[in-house]
Amino acid sequence: MLPINRRLLTGGLASAAIWPASRALANASDNVVKIGVLDDMSGPFADQQGMGDVVAARMAIEDFGGRVLNAPIELVYGDLQNRPDIGMAIARRWYDQEKVDAIFGIGNSAVALAVQQLTREKGKINVSIAAGTTELTGRACTPNGLHWTFDNYALARGTVSAMIAEGKRKWYFITSDYAFGHSLEANGAAVVRALGGEVVGSSRAPLNEADFSAHLLRAASSGANAVGLAVAGTDLINAVKQMGEFGLLRRGIQPAALLCLLTNIKAIGLDTAQGLLFTEAYYWDQNEQTRAFAQRFQRIHGRPPTMMQASMWGAVTHYLNAIRDAGSDAAEPVMAKMRATPINDFMTRNGRIREDGRIIRDMYLMRAKAPSQSRGEWDLLEVVKTIPGDEAFRPAAESECPLLRT
């Protein structure tokens, strides 16, 4: 990782101003536009969000020119430590004392749900990029909360459907015991049953579980031929590796990685991960534009971006464009512009923001390559198929968001 990231990380929860203060127009409140990135910077999800999200947000600010409405753009960051009390304390301080206009990332579902309600109370904007729970655009939806990259419905639908089609019809779920895991299991189990499969059991694992042996033994004795891993980050890495060590893969019991990312596959290794199916919103080696961004990002961060880190650039850019076009950084006109403007960037084509805050974008069914297919350190995945956005996400008619009924 290059020195700029070490300097940012040293600041911990403190503000990290990217641009110096200067005179601004009256339309920019407090003479500055301030963006916060609130993520797991030190825990099990740090590789897939963390300082990579800060790097991507900084790239977006630099690409925009560092100013909007003649006001400087500042970036702050915080480590939510996967605890709602800590995440809320940071968000509240940012809104009340540091005059942050919008919070991005919020890479823990329990924290994201709490921050979204606080954001509504404060009349600000939040953009959940790395949280998975569908409640953010369901019963807990708000007029100024957006769910940007993916959600647990899209992840589960893409992966479970593909595995059911391959004959994996008996499922056992191993689930992180908090809002993200519960939501991912519920969505995955619903797809299994809707497609005629059977859920034969489940177990709950605490966040940061190191030893999955008890869960895997239950899965192996359940009669399942698919294990739905409703876990993420280092928990996913540990679970897949231990499935290999326990011989479940040799017995035809296939893992279903319901949230998997490039960095997870790298950590697992292709010898174990080969053939693993999962659903993503971005892969660095899809086309010239995705490769160009990945090369820029890797020069700074030392590795290609995950889907979360790549989409941070797009979310921040869309937000800054909306401020410019609205002539204000106030939440209501900015949200109106964000909703009215199609999303088009290196990873999104004709994306749109639905009334419940769900961004509708294409998703991709991915497969981990065999070691013999890989041509380099990060050449790990292949795109199996594109899932159109209208098919990937929960239909509006099935949403419990009250904004869709007004």
Side-chain angles (χ1 to χ4, degrees):
M1 193 175 294
L2 297 185
I4 188 167
N5 288 348
R6 290 198 293 270
R7 290 199 300 270
L8 285 171
L9 187 55
T10 301
L13 301 182
S15 298
I18 301 300
W19 306 101
S22 62
R23 184 178 62 84
L25 297 176
N27 284 337
S29 61
D30 307 305
N31 294 331
V32 67
V33 171
K34 189 173 285 191
I35 292 169
V37 173
L38 183 59
D39 270 327
D40 180 357
M41 302 290 181
S42 57
F45 313 126
D47 266 358
Q48 58 201 44
Q49 40 180 282
M51 289 307 299
D53 274 1
V54 177
V55 167
R58 184 180 185 273
M59 290 172 65
I61 293 169
E62 290 179 339
D63 290 346
F64 198 82
R67 306 180 68 82
V68 62
L69 303 183
N70 201 36
I73 306 165
E74 292 184 5
L75 179 67
V76 299
Y77 73 93
D79 185 353
L80 52 76
Q81 299 180 47
N82 295 300
R83 289 178 51 183
D85 59 334
I86 291 177
M88 282 288 281
I90 296 169
R92 193 177 296 277
R93 187 185 76 238
W94 281 355
Y95 286 150
D96 291 346
Q97 300 174 28
E98 299 187 29
K99 309 302 181 186
V100 167
D101 297 291
I103 297 178
F104 291 75
I106 328 178
N108 175 286
S109 288
V111 178
L113 288 166
V115 169
Q116 182 154 288
Q117 295 309 312
L118 176 67
T119 301
R120 181 177 195 170
E121 294 170 14
K122 299 297 182 180
K124 303 289 188 175
I125 289 173
N126 69 277
V127 184
S128 295
I129 288 173
T133 179
T134 52
E135 287 299 292
L136 287 165
T137 54
R139 287 173 291 185
C141 71
T142 70
N144 49 357
L146 300 179
H147 204 175
W148 192 265
T149 311
F150 69 98
D151 64 24
N152 289 342
Y153 179 95
L155 298 182
R157 182 177 177 84
T159 305
V160 173
S161 299
M163 289 183 61
I164 290 278
E166 292 183 354
K168 302 299 183 180
R169 309 186 71 80
K170 290 189 175 183
W171 286 68
Y172 186 98
F173 285 89
I174 299 175
T175 301
S176 282
D177 194 11
Y178 75 108
F180 159 78
H182 301 170
S183 170
L184 192 50
E185 179 187 337
N187 281 280
V191 177
V192 169
R193 294 185 179 109
L195 295 177
E198 179 185 1
V199 177
V200 297
S202 66
S203 59
R204 299 282 172 87
L207 184 63
N208 254 342
E209 178 73 282
D211 183 1
F212 282 87
S213 58
H215 308 289
L216 294 174
L217 287 171
R218 293 191 199 103
S221 63
S222 70
N225 57 12
V227 178
L229 296 172
V231 297
T234 54
D235 289 351
L236 173 70
I237 294 165
N238 289 336
V240 175
K241 283 183 174 180
Q242 289 169 33
M243 282 190 72
E245 293 164 4
F246 273 71
L248 271 65
L249 305 180
R250 292 191 299 273
R251 293 165 56 183
I253 303 174
Q254 186 173 339
L258 299 182
L259 173 54
C260 188
L261 296 141
L262 178 70
T263 50
N264 304 146
I265 297 297
K266 181 69 161 61
I268 294 167
L270 290 182
D271 284 336
T272 299
Q274 60 183 304
L276 191 64
L277 287 170
F278 57 97
T279 303
E280 282 257 35
Y282 163 89
Y283 178 52
W284 71 269
D285 198 20
Q286 287 175 274
N287 55 52
E288 289 186 8
Q289 288 184 303
T290 59
R291 285 190 287 272
F293 180 82
Q295 288 166 4
R296 290 179 56 210
F297 182 92
Q298 187 166 0
R299 283 196 293 269
I300 301 169
H301 196 56
R303 65 187 67 180
T306 65
M307 69 168 171
M308 299 164 183
Q309 293 159 349
S311 65
M312 176 66 77
W313 186 95
V316 171
T317 299
H318 195 72
Y319 171 69
L320 294 174
N321 281 331
I323 291 176
R324 179 198 62 205
D325 295 344
S328 169
D329 62 352
E332 187 172 351
V334 171
M335 283 296 298
K337 283 293 182 184
M338 291 181 78
R339 291 179 185 279
T341 306
I343 303 166
N344 283 291
D345 56 45
F346 67 88
M347 69 170 284
T348 309
R349 291 288 177 271
N350 298 316
R352 70 182 192 279
I353 301 174
R354 206 165 62 186
E355 289 83 353
D356 57 356
R358 173 68 263 158
I359 281 65
I360 305 300
R361 63 166 76 249
D362 291 348
M363 301 290 288
Y364 305 95
L365 183 67
M366 311 294 298
R367 180 186 287 115
K369 289 185 172 182
S372 60
Q373 296 176 302
S374 176
R375 298 165 298 167
E377 181 183 9
W378 294 100
D379 180 30
L380 304 174
L381 306 175
E382 59 179 332
V383 179
V384 177
K385 71 172 183 177
T386 299
I387 307 169
D390 287 332
E391 297 177 16
F393 293 95
R394 189 187 307 278
E398 297 177 11
S399 173
E400 296 182 273
C401 174
L403 297 175
L404 291 171
R405 298 193 292 273
T406 58

